Amino acid sequence: MSAPSTVPGTGVSVAARPDRLRRLLPPTLVALPLLAATGYVAAVDPAKPGHYPSCPILLGTGLYCPGCGGLRALHELTHGNVLGALDYNAFGVLFILAGGLLWLSWLVTRLRVRPVHARLVLVVSVAMLAIAPVFMVVRNLPFGQLLAP
């Protein structure tokens, strides 16, 4: 009997490669539309009127929601302007960073390189859900105007 073939220089079985690709499919299918949408926001400036709908919460109540300024912040991030992004929506920048880290931890887990604990995902998710309403209230108070977009 012959030994199973391996990828040269890696010691990885050729049969293991399709399994690895299959495990990468879910994170890839999530990332592709997000990357496409991010590319659109990078190309079409949300600060210029007419390309994106207005925030219904802002239109209906006059209050900034936790997402107000988020597209402009993403646009600034894609152009390397971190301070401009923080100025538009600090919570949005934190949300994007947390989402990216959670996606990366999911990818690493799918590769089975290093297990990521479900507790980390739970803590980050609960923290983001807890911070969002507080951020909304503070940015609409007189002393929180620095956080308004």
Side-chain angles (χ1 to χ4, degrees):
M1 259 210 239
S2 65
S5 61
T6 61
V7 176
T10 65
V12 176
S13 165
V14 173
R17 291 185 87 192
D19 184 47
R20 177 175 281 185
L21 292 174
R22 193 173 20 262
R23 288 193 313 254
L24 291 177
L25 190 60
T28 303
L29 291 177
V30 168
L32 288 176
L34 293 174
L35 288 173
T38 300
Y40 181 79
V41 172
V44 181
D45 189 356
K48 295 180 181 169
H51 297 290
Y52 300 93
S54 297
C55 174
I57 294 174
L58 181 61
L59 287 175
T61 65
L63 298 174
Y64 296 116
C65 76
C68 281
L71 286 178
R72 288 173 283 171
L74 179 60
H75 179 80
E76 293 298 319
L77 281 176
T78 60
H79 290 273
N81 185 0
V82 177
L83 293 178
L86 289 169
D87 190 39
Y88 278 125
N89 190 329
F91 177 74
V93 173
L94 180 66
F95 185 83
I96 291 165
L97 179 64
L101 289 174
L102 288 175
W103 181 85
L104 191 58
S105 70
W106 182 30
L107 181 68
V108 168
T109 299
R110 297 294 290 187
L111 288 172
R112 294 188 180 131
V113 173
R114 189 175 127 222
V116 177
H117 299 287
R119 182 177 290 169
L120 170 68
V121 174
L122 179 65
V123 166
V124 171
S125 301
V126 169
M128 296 304 291
L129 289 173
I131 292 170
V134 173
F135 179 75
M136 180 178 172
V137 169
V138 170
R139 76 187 318 200
N140 285 290
L141 294 173
F143 65 85
Q145 288 302 308
L146 181 65
L147 297 174

